[in-house]
mmCIF file of all heavy atoms in Angstrom:
data_model
loop_
_atom_site.group_PDB
_atom_site.id
_atom_site.type_symbol
_atom_site.label_atom_id
_atom_site.label_comp_id
_atom_site.label_asym_id
_atom_site.label_seq_id
_atom_site.Cartn_x
_atom_site.Cartn_y
_atom_site.Cartn_z
ATOM 1 N N VAL A 48 5.331 7.050 4.594
ATOM 2 C CA VAL A 48 5.736 5.678 4.272
ATOM 3 C C VAL A 48 4.523 4.753 4.351
ATOM 4 O O VAL A 48 4.274 3.948 3.450
ATOM 5 C CB VAL A 48 6.855 5.183 5.217
ATOM 6 C CG1 VAL A 48 7.119 3.695 5.023
ATOM 7 C CG2 VAL A 48 8.139 5.978 5.002
ATOM 8 N N LEU A 49 3.753 4.886 5.429
ATOM 9 C CA LEU A 49 2.587 4.014 5.606
ATOM 10 C C LEU A 49 1.507 4.276 4.559
ATOM 11 O O LEU A 49 0.729 3.375 4.237
ATOM 12 C CB LEU A 49 2.024 4.158 7.022
ATOM 13 C CG LEU A 49 2.962 3.662 8.127
ATOM 14 C CD1 LEU A 49 2.377 3.976 9.499
ATOM 15 C CD2 LEU A 49 3.247 2.174 7.986
ATOM 16 N N LEU A 50 1.475 5.472 4.007
ATOM 17 C CA LEU A 50 0.502 5.782 2.952
ATOM 18 C C LEU A 50 0.771 4.951 1.694
ATOM 19 O O LEU A 50 -0.137 4.671 0.917
ATOM 20 C CB LEU A 50 0.534 7.275 2.632
ATOM 21 C CG LEU A 50 -0.581 7.841 1.767
ATOM 22 C CD1 LEU A 50 -1.955 7.560 2.381
ATOM 23 C CD2 LEU A 50 -0.402 9.337 1.588
ATOM 24 N N LEU A 51 2.000 4.501 1.521
ATOM 25 C CA LEU A 51 2.325 3.645 0.381
ATOM 26 C C LEU A 51 1.608 2.285 0.458
ATOM 27 O O LEU A 51 1.452 1.614 -0.566
ATOM 28 C CB LEU A 51 3.831 3.421 0.280
ATOM 29 C CG LEU A 51 4.647 4.618 -0.186
ATOM 30 C CD1 LEU A 51 6.137 4.321 -0.058
ATOM 31 C CD2 LEU A 51 4.287 4.997 -1.613
ATOM 32 N N THR A 52 1.159 1.894 1.642
ATOM 33 C CA THR A 52 0.416 0.629 1.743
ATOM 34 C C THR A 52 -0.905 0.708 0.990
ATOM 35 O O THR A 52 -1.523 -0.328 0.734
ATOM 36 C CB THR A 52 0.137 0.220 3.202
ATOM 37 O OG1 THR A 52 -0.682 1.196 3.835
ATOM 38 C CG2 THR A 52 1.420 0.005 3.983
ATOM 39 N N LEU A 53 -1.318 1.903 0.613
ATOM 40 C CA LEU A 53 -2.527 2.052 -0.195
ATOM 41 C C LEU A 53 -2.427 1.220 -1.474
ATOM 42 O O LEU A 53 -3.420 0.646 -1.922
ATOM 43 C CB LEU A 53 -2.751 3.528 -0.541
ATOM 44 C CG LEU A 53 -3.933 3.852 -1.437
ATOM 45 C CD1 LEU A 53 -5.238 3.501 -0.730
ATOM 46 C CD2 LEU A 53 -3.917 5.313 -1.819
ATOM 47 N N VAL A 54 -1.230 1.143 -2.026
ATOM 48 C CA VAL A 54 -1.034 0.362 -3.254
ATOM 49 C C VAL A 54 -1.426 -1.093 -2.998
ATOM 50 O O VAL A 54 -2.201 -1.685 -3.757
ATOM 51 C CB VAL A 54 0.423 0.455 -3.743
ATOM 52 C CG1 VAL A 54 0.684 -0.489 -4.894
ATOM 53 C CG2 VAL A 54 0.761 1.895 -4.126
ATOM 54 N N ALA A 55 -0.922 -1.672 -1.923
ATOM 55 C CA ALA A 55 -1.246 -3.068 -1.617
ATOM 56 C C ALA A 55 -2.700 -3.224 -1.163
ATOM 57 O O ALA A 55 -3.336 -4.230 -1.459
ATOM 58 C CB ALA A 55 -0.311 -3.592 -0.531
ATOM 59 N N ARG A 56 -3.220 -2.237 -0.491
ATOM 60 C CA ARG A 56 -4.599 -2.336 0.003
ATOM 61 C C ARG A 56 -5.628 -2.274 -1.117
ATOM 62 O O ARG A 56 -6.778 -2.665 -0.922
ATOM 63 C CB ARG A 56 -4.876 -1.243 1.025
ATOM 64 C CG ARG A 56 -4.125 -1.442 2.311
ATOM 65 C CD ARG A 56 -4.500 -0.413 3.348
ATOM 66 N NE ARG A 56 -3.659 -0.504 4.500
ATOM 67 C CZ ARG A 56 -3.837 -1.355 5.501
ATOM 68 N NH1 ARG A 56 -4.827 -2.194 5.463
ATOM 69 N NH2 ARG A 56 -3.022 -1.347 6.533
ATOM 70 N N CYS A 57 -5.239 -1.802 -2.269
ATOM 71 C CA CYS A 57 -6.172 -1.713 -3.401
ATOM 72 C C CYS A 57 -6.145 -2.964 -4.275
ATOM 73 O O CYS A 57 -6.741 -2.988 -5.342
ATOM 74 C CB CYS A 57 -5.857 -0.472 -4.232
ATOM 75 S SG CYS A 57 -6.306 1.038 -3.388
ATOM 76 N N VAL A 58 -5.457 -3.979 -3.810
ATOM 77 C CA VAL A 58 -5.413 -5.262 -4.505
ATOM 78 C C VAL A 58 -6.121 -6.256 -3.590
ATOM 79 O O VAL A 58 -5.830 -6.318 -2.404
ATOM 80 C CB VAL A 58 -3.944 -5.685 -4.753
ATOM 81 C CG1 VAL A 58 -3.868 -7.033 -5.399
ATOM 82 C CG2 VAL A 58 -3.248 -4.639 -5.594
ATOM 83 N N PHE A 59 -7.038 -7.032 -4.147
ATOM 84 C CA PHE A 59 -7.904 -7.864 -3.312
ATOM 85 C C PHE A 59 -7.832 -9.359 -3.623
ATOM 86 O O PHE A 59 -8.853 -9.979 -3.932
ATOM 87 C CB PHE A 59 -9.351 -7.393 -3.442
ATOM 88 C CG PHE A 59 -9.553 -5.974 -3.056
ATOM 89 C CD1 PHE A 59 -9.820 -5.021 -4.022
ATOM 90 C CD2 PHE A 59 -9.476 -5.565 -1.745
ATOM 91 C CE1 PHE A 59 -10.001 -3.701 -3.684
ATOM 92 C CE2 PHE A 59 -9.655 -4.246 -1.387
ATOM 93 C CZ PHE A 59 -9.922 -3.298 -2.360
ATOM 94 N N PRO A 60 -6.675 -9.973 -3.509
ATOM 95 C CA PRO A 60 -6.634 -11.421 -3.752
ATOM 96 C C PRO A 60 -7.412 -12.194 -2.697
ATOM 97 O O PRO A 60 -7.950 -13.264 -2.974
ATOM 98 C CB PRO A 60 -5.142 -11.745 -3.698
ATOM 99 C CG PRO A 60 -4.550 -10.674 -2.859
ATOM 100 C CD PRO A 60 -5.362 -9.450 -3.150
#
Side-chain angles (χ1 to χ4, degrees):
V48 171
L49 294 174
L50 192 57
L51 288 172
T52 62
L53 177 65
V54 172
R56 291 185 188 277
C57 289
V58 177
F59 301 109

